[in-house]
Amino acid sequence: MERLPGFRDFYPEPLPHQDVWSADLRNYIFDTWRNVARRYGFREYDGPPLEALELYTTKSGDEIVGQLYNFTDKGDRAVALRPEMTPTLARMVAAHARNYKKPIKWFAIPQLFRYERQQKGRLREHFQFNADIFGESDPSADAELIALLIDSLRALKLTADDFVIRLGSRNAWHEFFERGTRNAERGTQTPDPRPQPPDPRPQPPAARPQPPDAAEYEFYQIIDKLEREDATKSDAKLKALGFSLDGVKEFIAAAKPTAELEVILKNLSARGLGDFVKIDYNVIRGLAYYTGPVFEAFDKKGELRAIAGGGRYDNLVKLISGGKVELPGLGFGMGDVVLTELLKERGLLPPFDAGLDAFCLIEDEALRAASLKLIHDLRAAGLAVDYPLTPAKPDKQFKRAVELGSARTLRLERGATGEVQVRQKNLKTREEKVVPLTDVNSLLSATSGRAGGFP
Ligand code: HAM
């Protein structure tokens, strides 16, 4: 039996084949994501991997709906495996928003399913670190999220030389679209592509933007595909909406930050993170629900697909709650697939092994019971300890300890006067030390190197 295309098997290291993925590496990435999210005050949530199909059909946009794993369940319900976490989260928040103080700062690491064409960086399932904030319209929240995104990548040892956050804005494109439409109505064929100067006054949270109409959404889709699609095709599509590719390109090239983006940039610079971000209006995001600032993380060489993407979606909770709950939201998703490719390419993966503090050799079967007691006490104290389950030749046992990457071996033996003592060997320095079995405490502290000490 083969696994399905686009799905992965995760094995412990050392990996048996280049075609499988590392469970240790996955844990390393998950642990890092969790750690950084916790440092930023985000709380973990989770939701079901299977949802009502309807949750996606009206909220996520055509592209993702075309990639759904959907079917009718035995109760005749139209259901889908989750292709993204945001609709589930918006549903959960809408249901119990009143029970939580705002802003709500939550994260999750769901496995997501999209029926995509399998290629480099794209599979049919992936894990995605999602971090989202609800109940805050101020751009300081956008900056907080982008800082979390940057720091999650930095915690994996990536630097400003490795990745960049491209920051755009649907609001900027909304204004561009409106200006163009107004000019077209006035009879000016080519809309004025010049970006408007930012409003110097402090910006109050504007009235929540309304969802774009069909023509505007179509315009966003053309912008989203601009870098991938043939220029003549894009130009023809833009012309049909009353715009020109030159006008659009001029606007992108000017890269003039809106007042809102200016606030975000200043906030990030104040933290010393200014070097990680650049204004790039090519980034508009494919998903339908975004309303404000949007961003994507890319490798700096531009060889890989987006590492992460996100932005503001101030209408989604309202849409999903049928108008009952209004709460601005924003967030990002970072996938494990492109990230793993990048970490591998940059040689930033730590070595993975069983992480054993000690391997207990049992060479004298008469001492097995006493060995088991010692192993049990060490494990109870928090150490990772392994041993041979059944009698084995001493050299085989030692080989296994080395293969498992254990920090030390322990061996019970009888001293000159017949008392039981423990011989421990540091496998790195080859240093040996013998302590009486009764002195377990000294053994604990001597053995605790790997686990990093314990009480
Ligand atoms: P997205 O841009 O569709 O956004 O996905 C975010 C990231 O997930 C991508 O940049 C990519 O690294 C990874 N990803 C997506 N699809 C695949 C795939 N088929 N195979 C491997 N990796 C993939 C969202 O999903 C939004 N819901 C993110 C968000 C959260 N926005 C607000 N909050």
Side-chain angles (χ1 to χ4, degrees):
M1 284 290 281
E2 298 262 317
R3 63 172 182 270
L4 290 169
F7 286 76
R8 293 174 287 175
D9 292 327
F10 290 90
Y11 282 75
E13 304 243 2
L15 297 184
H17 192 269
Q18 66 199 31
D19 194 29
V20 301
W21 289 64
S22 165
D24 297 314
L25 169 56
R26 189 177 86 175
N27 277 346
Y28 167 66
I29 290 175
F30 285 11
D31 288 348
T32 309
W33 282 343
R34 280 209 169 85
N35 230 325
V36 184
R38 191 185 50 76
R39 267 158 45 193
Y40 271 73
F42 281 66
R43 303 291 306 276
E44 188 159 2
Y45 69 95
D46 201 1
L50 195 68
E51 288 273 15
L53 174 65
E54 199 200 342
L55 186 64
Y56 308 108
T57 44
T58 48
K59 284 97 188 172
S60 298
D62 298 340
E63 189 170 315
I64 233 173
V65 168
Q67 297 167 343
L68 282 175
Y69 269 95
N70 60 307
F71 56 95
T72 308
D73 76 2
K74 289 175 181 165
D76 259 344
R77 293 174 206 93
V79 295
L81 283 174
R82 59 187 176 197
E84 57 157 340
M85 197 59 172
T86 317
T88 296
L89 173 61
R91 179 180 63 65
M92 287 171 60
V93 166
H96 294 293
R98 276 208 217 123
N99 298 75
Y100 292 94
K101 293 258 182 319
K102 317 297 175 305
I104 290 170
K105 294 166 75 179
W106 286 359
F107 81 97
I109 308 180
Q111 190 173 22
L112 306 176
F113 305 87
R114 300 184 188 182
Y115 199 91
E116 295 205 54
R117 199 164 54 79
Q118 193 186 333
Q119 53 190 301
K120 194 166 158 38
R122 279 286 173 277
L123 300 173
R124 291 186 174 164
E125 73 39 53
H126 71 282
F127 289 91
Q128 204 186 76
F129 174 39
N130 274 249
D132 292 78
I133 300 179
F134 290 90
E136 184 51 75
S137 333
D138 194 88
S140 57
D142 303 63
E144 174 79 349
L145 257 181
I146 296 172
L148 167 58
L149 169 55
I150 295 169
D151 276 345
S152 326
L153 293 169
R154 288 174 74 204
L156 292 161
K157 302 196 168 54
L158 293 161
T159 68
D161 292 333
D162 300 309
F163 73 94
V164 61
I165 310 294
R166 298 162 67 189
L167 177 61
S169 163
R170 284 226 172 154
N171 288 334
W173 281 115
H174 173 71
E175 280 171 28
F176 181 94
F177 184 85
E178 292 268 285
R179 240 178 4 255
T181 315
R182 272 199 308 273
N183 288 345
E185 275 163 11
R186 267 193 248 114
T188 329
Q189 266 314 305
T190 321
D192 180 0
R194 283 168 302 177
Q196 297 299 296
D199 189 337
R201 290 166 300 174
Q203 295 294 299
R208 206 149 288 155
Q210 292 310 304
D213 62 21
E216 187 170 341
Y217 183 54
E218 197 185 327
F219 174 75
Y220 290 179
Q221 296 294 308
I222 304 169
I223 303 300
D224 184 46
K225 295 193 175 60
L226 222 50
E227 288 179 303
R228 282 165 277 156
E229 190 142 274
D230 176 67
T232 15
K233 256 196 199 158
S234 298
D235 194 34
K237 284 188 189 165
L238 285 167
K239 287 237 165 71
L241 292 174
F243 294 84
S244 75
L245 184 59
D246 286 347
V248 159
K249 285 212 159 145
E250 203 178 311
F251 178 73
I252 293 172
K256 186 128 181 90
T258 60
E260 190 179 38
L261 296 188
E262 201 92 72
V263 174
I264 297 173
L265 290 179
K266 275 209 184 107
N267 183 310
L268 291 169
S269 295
R271 306 173 194 230
L273 298 179
D275 284 353
F276 289 92
V277 201
K278 74 162 195 206
I279 299 292
D280 188 340
Y281 288 130
N282 279 300
V283 172
I284 189 168
R285 306 282 293 142
L287 290 158
Y289 48 66
Y290 293 109
T291 52
V294 283
F295 50 87
E296 284 180 347
F298 277 92
D299 74 291
K300 244 196 171 147
K301 288 190 190 156
E303 287 164 356
L304 307 174
R305 305 182 68 120
I307 308 163
R312 213 169 239 288
Y313 49 89
D314 284 349
N315 295 317
L316 189 62
V317 173
K318 188 174 170 195
L319 193 69
I320 280 181
S321 66
K324 285 198 204 100
V325 186
E326 270 201 62
L327 211 52
L330 60 154
F332 70 79
M334 180 184 334
D336 67 326
V337 180
V338 181
L339 184 61
T340 299
E341 280 171 4
L342 182 61
L343 293 175
K344 274 190 185 159
E345 265 177 32
R346 300 288 192 280
L348 290 174
L349 297 180
F352 297 112
D353 55 38
L356 286 183
D357 295 298
F359 189 92
C360 189
L361 310 167
I362 305 179
E363 294 180 3
D364 179 355
E365 283 299 321
L367 290 173
R368 180 170 283 270
S371 300
L372 285 175
K373 175 77 172 86
L374 173 68
I375 292 162
H376 195 80
D377 288 347
L378 293 175
R379 286 174 169 174
L383 291 186
V385 186
D386 208 352
Y387 68 99
L389 286 174
T390 50
K393 289 208 178 95
D395 58 332
K396 257 197 165 172
Q397 294 189 35
F398 187 75
K399 206 171 151 219
R400 181 142 174 91
V402 173
E403 274 167 9
L404 289 172
S406 180
R408 292 169 176 80
T409 54
L410 301 175
R411 195 181 63 203
L412 264 55
E413 58 187 28
R414 293 220 176 260
T417 52
E419 80 291 358
V420 179
Q421 55 191 29
V422 186
R423 178 178 296 274
Q424 63 152 321
K425 182 172 185 170
N426 183 319
L427 289 188
K428 230 189 213 152
T429 59
R430 304 275 146 178
E431 225 175 286
E432 283 198 355
K433 207 168 158 189
V434 179
V435 294
L437 180 58
T438 44
D439 194 6
V440 175
N441 279 342
S442 85
L443 196 61
L444 288 179
S445 50
T447 320
S448 67
R450 182 126 197 174
F454 49 80

